[in-house]
Amino acid sequence: MNDAGFPEGWYPLMRSRDLGAGPVVRHLSGAPIALERTPARAARGRCPKSGRSLAVAERAGWVFAAIGHPGTDGSAEADLFAGPSRQLDLEGHVRARIGDVAENILDTTHTSVVHQDYLRRPGERRCVEAQISSGDGWIAATYPPGAAPSGWGARLLGAHRYTITDAFRAPAIAEVTYARNGETKFSARFRLTPATSGETYVAATLAVPGNGAWAELKLAALNVFFRRIFSEDRAILELIGENRAAHGAAPLVFAPQDVLRPGIEAILAGRTPRAAAPRVLLKV
């Protein structure tokens, strides 16, 4: 852990395409960073108060800045698909803490309540077994196809047939993968940045395999669904912040269905996550 109170690593600040000659000011853990491009079109960061240079990097369509000293490899990360794919980038700010945002992204149990009808049909809740695994800097839950969304929107994309893997890894990255017979059919990566106190910047990349018309159509549908999902989830997440403020220093309590939240909090605190149990029975 470091003075910023978040894991050492690279955090996204904005999309590369939106950075011009600048400067554009973004925030990382409450500290302003002025971003601009050099005459050679490289991204450059500095402290707007002192003028001191700050480490920034560009990859996969995003501009990153560092907390701590994570090394010169910068924002390097594995591709969502090894082969041809179509990708879509989405971004937004949420007045909520990173832990709350990460859990919301990776919480399968809330879809039947918050996103009913188009993600999960009413009356179709069922018991499923989640398999939990963890290691140094990561924790994951894998759900059988019965846990996949089954509403009209999800069925349009074939999601109801897929196995889901939800994972959180350092420094603050939530990933969702849908697969069938071991083949990835959809993948999403949500990079979470502590912007200011109680506010999280979400830099999301959605991807589907292939580069033809069908892949483009699926990505267009996902764009519509995820914007609606993000809007509904944001409303709830911002109420969480208000509720926490109303109750002061009340401790964070984990419910039985919060299978990944203890691990998320451990990673954000710089500790090794531990799976409470290898298997958990849930109703989704």
Side-chain angles (χ1 to χ4, degrees):
M1 196 53 61
N2 47 68
D3 292 341
F6 292 94
E8 186 173 85
W10 293 85
Y11 294 81
L13 298 179
M14 64 181 300
R15 287 190 284 196
S16 292
R17 74 180 191 186
D18 295 332
L19 180 60
V24 177
V25 176
R26 294 291 185 267
H27 289 82
L28 177 59
S29 189
I33 298 176
L35 300 168
E36 60 188 352
R37 292 202 178 277
T38 67
R41 302 298 297 165
R44 176 170 58 193
R46 60 179 175 81
C47 173
K49 297 179 180 179
S50 67
R52 178 174 57 91
S53 294
L54 301 172
V56 298
E58 280 189 273
R59 189 185 186 278
W62 302 95
V63 179
F64 295 79
I67 286 182
H69 304 280
T72 57
D73 197 25
S75 53
E77 54 189 24
D79 293 331
L80 290 174
F81 281 94
S85 66
R86 292 278 190 179
Q87 297 192 357
L88 170 70
D89 290 335
L90 299 172
E91 65 176 346
H93 285 82
V94 184
R95 293 193 305 275
R97 297 181 182 181
I98 280 185
D100 294 329
V101 177
E103 180 184 37
N104 179 269
I105 293 169
L106 303 176
D107 174 27
T108 297
T109 63
H110 84 282
T111 58
S112 59
V113 178
V114 181
H115 311 301
Q116 60 180 319
D117 297 331
Y118 69 99
L119 279 192
R120 195 178 302 281
R121 292 189 294 191
E124 285 205 350
R125 297 185 69 189
R126 64 194 69 182
C127 290
V128 298
E129 186 178 72
Q131 298 186 22
I132 316 300
S133 56
S134 63
D136 186 19
W138 65 274
I139 188 166
T142 300
Y143 301 88
S150 57
W152 65 265
R155 285 181 174 271
L156 178 65
L157 301 172
H160 61 292
R161 301 190 300 265
Y162 301 151
T163 297
I164 306 173
T165 299
D166 294 336
F168 187 80
R169 59 183 176 86
I173 301 172
E175 294 181 330
V176 179
T177 302
Y178 282 46
R180 189 180 188 190
N181 298 326
E183 184 179 354
T184 300
K185 298 295 185 178
F186 165 73
S187 187
R189 177 174 291 149
F190 301 84
R191 308 167 186 88
L192 308 178
T193 297
T196 57
S197 178
E199 183 179 59
T200 298
Y201 173 64
V202 181
T205 299
L206 317 179
V208 295
N211 51 19
W214 177 237
E216 190 68 25
L217 182 62
K218 288 185 72 172
L219 206 59
L222 285 167
N223 184 21
V224 174
F225 291 142
F226 267 85
R227 288 184 185 279
R228 177 171 176 176
I229 290 167
F230 189 75
S231 176
E232 292 173 345
D233 284 346
R234 176 194 275 128
I236 291 175
L237 285 165
E238 294 186 349
L239 287 175
I240 291 174
E242 294 178 12
N243 183 64
R244 182 175 285 120
H247 290 84
L252 184 63
V253 177
F254 302 123
Q257 65 267 32
D258 299 332
V259 295
L260 294 180
R261 185 59 180 268
I264 291 170
E265 293 299 325
I267 292 169
L268 293 176
R271 305 191 310 270
T272 299
R274 304 292 184 191
R279 293 178 176 83
V280 179
L281 189 64
L282 298 170
K283 192 170 186 179
V284 301

